[in-house]
Amino acid sequence: MIETYFGAEQLDSPHAMLAALVIGLAFGFVLERAGFGSSRKLAGIFYLKDMTVLKVMFTAVITAMLGLSYAFALGWVAPDQVYALPTVYPAQAIGGLLFGLGFVMSGWCPGTSAVGAASGKLDAGVFLLGAVIGAVGFNELFGVLRAIGLVPQADQGGVLGGTSEAQIAFGLPRTLFALLFTLMAVAAFHAAEWIERRMAASGSYPGGPVLKAVSIAMVVFAVVLFLLPESAPLADSAAGPDIANLLQTIEAAQDHIEPEELADRLMAGAQDVVVVDVRSPAEYAAFHIRGAIHVSLPDLPKALEPHKNRGTIVLYSNGMTHPAQARDLLALLGFHNVYLLTDGLAGFVERCLKPVSLRDEPLSEQQAVKVRAWRAFFLGGDPARPEVARKAAESSPTPQATARTGERLPALVDPSWLAARLNDPNVKIIDVRTQPRYSTSHIPNAICLSPESVRGPIGGVPSMLLPADLLARLLSNIGIRPTDAVVLVYGNDPENGELGNGLRDATLLGMALERLGHRDWAILDGGFWRWVSEGHPVTAALTKIEPSVYPVPPQPDDFTVDAQYVAARLEDRSALILDARPADYFRGEKSDEARPGHIPGALNRPFKADLGQGERFNPLDELEKAYQTLIPSKSNPVIVHCRTGHQASQTFFLLRRVLGYTQVKWYDGGWAEWAARFDLPAEK
């Protein structure tokens, strides 16, 4: 059976885009060869001299209708693999009138105008531009049109397999409707021939033999459909009662299983539980629930057939959307023992595997014991031997994904939070101050790491963030594990000359953690000076380090961009470029790079404008207002840069982790690279 792009939920995939492009080019070529590159020929139908438009439209509709009917009947395509457009008579009547009016005025329709424009027809290009403007206008007015009933609501339309016969064939059986529509098309063909001969003394089919042959063939194909088995719509099949049962189970909250219940059953060695991971193979390989099997979504029915209505099947992904859709489809296929994991893998990690010391609320001793047992079992080890399990969990590299499922720490933590966790082996403290300052006095158990150790020349550009494999080796050498919560401490005591680069030293190291996919990290708000000023303990003793094995992520990070990416966004203006350098460098009054100035169109927000006394961020309400004037929405694409990425790392941290902007990119090369690339534009 053929699986369509719609059925596989891959309409937005590169393969679907390529297929659409090839089909569109072929369709345009055929239209051009048929003469649809001429508005005179197209407008001929209104003067009853050239009926080509009518013939082509009916031919396309009949071919598609009969082709789909045969594909359904022969089992090549399932009805639920095809989307049925909703019928909304007011909208379609108004749209038809507008379409006809535009056709009469210009001689073009949207499809043929594209053909004409490709052929160099100026009027076709003008019409195509008008169609695009109309589409944009419709998009902007969509909510208003929906409110007055001129466009369908979200629940109208759907797959043919779930659509009633009344919707797709006016209540007629598909085969009868196909025959009647074919006869109507044949009659239209002959009427068009007769009109052409009367009005223009010509016809597309001289003598009519081709027309007769095509007419007979169409009718024969329509009649043969009565002899073939018709594929029944899903809603009218035996699945109908299952839909009611499915809705009842959802209403009664019997369609999901809680993480704690699943963890207990798996630890107890339950043999009747099949846990299925439906994420990508790479995500499954990085980390999965112990005992889970990997099955891709299209393969679920076949792979789970041996477990159909036997025991318990639990589906999970990072969230719940795909498992919920898969669970509903399996229920319609007769699987009555499929459940989805509440809150997905992220919920399982948060509720079962999150260390006791990192919980927002204190746990009872009984709850704490259970959490430790879960962690020992699922993060590697034998629950019957807790000490072995604990060591295995601490050294195992596989839990990397548990840290990537969500940011379990806030962006900034205060000294009291850290003081309560000084002896927690799952909390690591990294001091980014200079080595002399660290050796003189530091937070107990803190590790000294210079922010410059995560940078170096890449591709000839100096001071670039190192590749993930080198960063992973660095974290391994200082004993950082993927499951650790990392707190970064910076220097900020101006009276003792300790200010240095302050907060941005910590955020630069944070970029290294982000590149490795380590989401469980935070910065000590107020830095080392605040820790000391609030009376928390310090020491000069060196911290003992046990090296770890930090895994290298299989994919590059999703936030670092290069000069080519920035130049492309500069050209199409699809992203806001934010320069974090001081204003005099932005204006070109000062320069320590190949050229003064800034990237054309960039906005300037100096990184120091976000800081107050002691290298702490200004009040969040002030920062919110300041950035709202620069960035209209928190979903707007933004590219931040400075000279070498150092200052911009602070802006990146503020926007993404503190203020919640979701589409923030970091141009690491910054002005150091851009200024040295004389093929790239600059302005003052």
Side-chain angles (χ1 to χ4, degrees):
M1 182 177 293
I2 299 173
E3 184 177 42
T4 64
Y5 287 114
F6 167 75
E9 297 184 352
Q10 295 183 0
L11 284 175
D12 57 348
S13 68
H15 294 291
M17 181 67 71
L18 178 61
L21 178 62
V22 172
I23 293 172
L25 290 174
F27 181 67
F29 176 77
V30 171
L31 289 181
E32 171 67 22
R33 299 303 298 172
F36 278 32
S38 169
S39 59
R40 289 187 177 183
K41 186 175 185 64
L42 294 170
I45 189 171
F46 298 108
Y47 303 98
L48 303 179
K49 292 183 178 182
D50 192 328
M51 308 298 289
T52 303
V53 172
L54 182 144
K55 297 172 186 176
V56 170
M57 290 178 61
F58 265 111
T59 301
V61 172
I62 295 299
T63 301
M65 179 186 67
L66 294 179
L68 273 178
S69 297
Y70 271 89
F72 293 158
L74 297 176
W76 296 344
V77 177
D80 60 4
Q81 293 286 312
V82 180
Y83 181 79
L85 290 173
T87 300
V88 185
Y89 291 113
Q92 288 161 344
I94 295 174
L97 291 174
L98 292 174
F99 182 91
L101 181 62
F103 208 158
V104 171
M105 294 174 61
S106 65
W108 300 104
C109 70
T112 56
S113 67
V115 174
S119 303
K121 303 294 194 305
L122 180 60
D123 56 339
V126 173
F127 183 92
L128 184 60
L129 176 62
V132 171
I133 294 174
V136 173
F138 175 80
N139 181 73
E140 296 301 318
L141 295 174
F142 186 81
V144 177
L145 297 175
R146 168 174 284 180
I148 61 178
L150 292 182
V151 294
Q153 297 298 320
D155 58 349
Q156 290 181 277
V159 297
L160 282 178
T163 307
S164 70
E165 289 286 357
Q167 287 176 295
I168 62 174
F170 301 100
L172 299 173
R174 283 200 186 110
T175 50
L176 178 58
F177 178 82
L179 177 59
L180 294 176
F181 199 83
T182 301
L183 293 174
M184 184 174 67
V186 169
F189 287 149
H190 284 271
E193 276 287 290
W194 182 82
I195 292 172
E196 282 182 340
R197 288 171 181 166
R198 290 292 301 268
M199 300 300 297
S202 65
S204 300
Y205 310 105
V210 176
L211 176 60
K212 293 177 182 177
V214 171
S215 300
I216 294 172
M218 285 185 173
V219 174
V220 169
F221 274 107
V223 171
V224 171
L225 282 175
F226 286 89
L227 305 178
L228 298 176
E230 184 177 2
S231 178
L234 188 62
D236 295 336
S237 68
D242 287 342
I243 294 178
N245 293 332
L246 172 61
L247 295 175
Q248 289 178 358
T249 59
I250 294 174
E251 183 181 26
Q254 297 175 350
D255 61 331
H256 56 269
I257 185 171
E258 300 300 323
E260 295 84 355
E261 179 185 349
L262 178 63
D264 285 339
R265 292 180 66 176
L266 292 178
M267 278 191 59
Q271 300 297 314
D272 62 340
V273 179
V274 179
V275 183
V276 184
D277 189 320
V278 299
R279 298 175 301 155
S280 68
E283 290 177 302
Y284 174 81
F287 177 74
H288 58 268
I289 295 177
R290 181 175 178 177
I293 62 174
H294 177 263
V295 181
S296 60
L297 287 169
D299 298 332
L300 281 175
K302 182 178 179 180
L304 297 180
E305 184 64 31
H307 308 286
K308 186 174 183 178
N309 299 326
R310 297 178 182 176
T312 302
I313 300 172
V314 181
L315 307 180
Y316 78 85
S317 181
N318 292 321
M320 296 179 67
T321 302
H322 283 161
Q325 294 171 338
R327 187 261 174 188
D328 293 348
L329 178 59
L330 290 171
L332 295 177
L333 294 176
F335 287 77
H336 303 302
N337 62 326
V338 182
Y339 299 81
L340 53 143
L341 180 61
T342 300
D343 296 332
L345 182 60
F348 188 87
V349 170
E350 179 72 18
R351 293 164 60 174
C352 298
L353 304 183
K354 185 175 184 178
V356 174
S357 59
L358 298 182
R359 303 275 171 153
D360 295 331
E361 298 180 359
L363 301 180
S364 67
E365 183 59 31
Q366 183 179 4
Q367 291 172 322
V369 169
K370 179 166 286 192
V371 169
R372 295 188 186 100
W374 286 336
R375 285 177 53 80
F377 181 83
F378 291 104
L379 298 184
D382 184 354
R385 302 173 63 189
E387 183 60 26
V388 174
R390 182 187 65 79
K391 291 182 178 180
E394 291 177 356
S395 61
S396 174
T398 57
Q400 178 187 8
T402 65
R404 289 206 301 263
T405 55
E407 295 171 355
R408 300 195 299 272
L409 284 182
L412 299 164
V413 297
D414 57 37
S416 61
W417 183 96
L418 181 59
R421 296 165 174 81
L422 279 183
N423 296 317
D424 189 333
N426 298 304
V427 177
K428 295 295 194 301
I429 306 169
I430 298 180
D431 192 323
V432 301
R433 297 177 301 153
T434 63
Q435 180 267 324
R437 292 292 178 187
Y438 169 84
S439 297
T440 301
S441 178
H442 57 261
I443 298 173
N445 298 323
I447 304 166
C448 181
L449 184 64
S450 169
E452 290 303 316
S453 63
V454 302
R455 301 205 294 178
I458 303 295
V461 182
S463 301
M464 295 279 284
L465 190 65
L466 295 176
D469 57 338
L470 296 182
L471 295 175
R473 290 178 59 184
L474 178 62
L475 292 193
S476 298
N477 288 337
I478 62 174
I480 303 298
R481 302 164 302 180
T483 51
D484 286 332
V486 178
V487 178
L488 307 176
V489 180
Y490 61 96
N492 57 347
D493 187 357
E495 293 183 1
N496 294 322
E498 193 183 32
L499 189 58
N501 289 324
L503 178 61
R504 61 189 183 280
D505 277 349
T507 57
L508 179 61
L509 190 54
M511 302 305 289
L513 295 171
E514 290 283 342
R515 174 159 290 180
L516 291 172
H518 196 116
R519 299 289 185 258
D520 205 3
W521 67 276
I523 293 176
L524 181 63
D525 189 17
F528 184 73
W529 178 82
R530 183 182 174 193
W531 174 272
V532 173
S533 66
E534 293 185 6
H536 296 293
V538 295
T539 183
L542 296 178
T543 301
K544 183 180 179 180
I545 295 176
E546 294 184 8
S548 64
V549 180
Y550 203 104
V552 180
Q555 302 293 333
D557 70 68
D558 62 353
F559 58 85
T560 305
V561 298
D562 56 17
Q564 182 179 358
Y565 181 96
V566 177
R569 300 310 177 276
L570 180 64
E571 183 176 346
D572 62 21
R573 299 187 179 184
S574 59
L576 185 150
I577 301 175
L578 195 60
D579 190 327
R581 294 178 300 156
D584 48 359
Y585 284 87
F586 177 82
R587 293 192 298 265
E589 298 167 2
K590 291 184 178 181
S591 176
D592 44 18
E593 296 298 339
R595 286 184 289 172
H598 59 266
I599 298 175
L603 301 179
N604 182 223
R605 172 71 180 181
F607 73 99
K608 287 187 177 180
D610 298 327
L611 301 176
Q613 184 179 6
E615 287 280 303
R616 296 181 68 183
F617 283 120
N618 289 325
L620 293 187
D621 57 345
E622 294 181 11
L623 294 172
E624 287 274 10
K625 293 178 181 178
Y627 278 97
Q628 282 176 1
T629 62
L630 298 174
I631 310 171
S633 168
K634 291 193 175 182
S635 61
N636 271 72
V638 182
I639 301 172
V640 297
H641 82 90
C642 57
R643 187 175 67 88
T644 63
H646 198 171
Q647 298 162 352
S649 70
Q650 176 187 296
T651 304
F652 179 93
F653 174 79
L654 174 62
L655 290 176
R656 187 165 175 174
R657 291 288 305 276
V658 179
L659 298 182
Y661 285 81
T662 60
Q663 301 292 326
V664 187
K665 304 293 185 183
W666 181 58
Y667 175 30
D668 188 11
W671 188 247
E673 178 187 21
W674 192 278
R677 289 273 305 271
F678 290 93
D679 58 317
L680 298 174
E683 65 180 24
K684 295 183 181 179

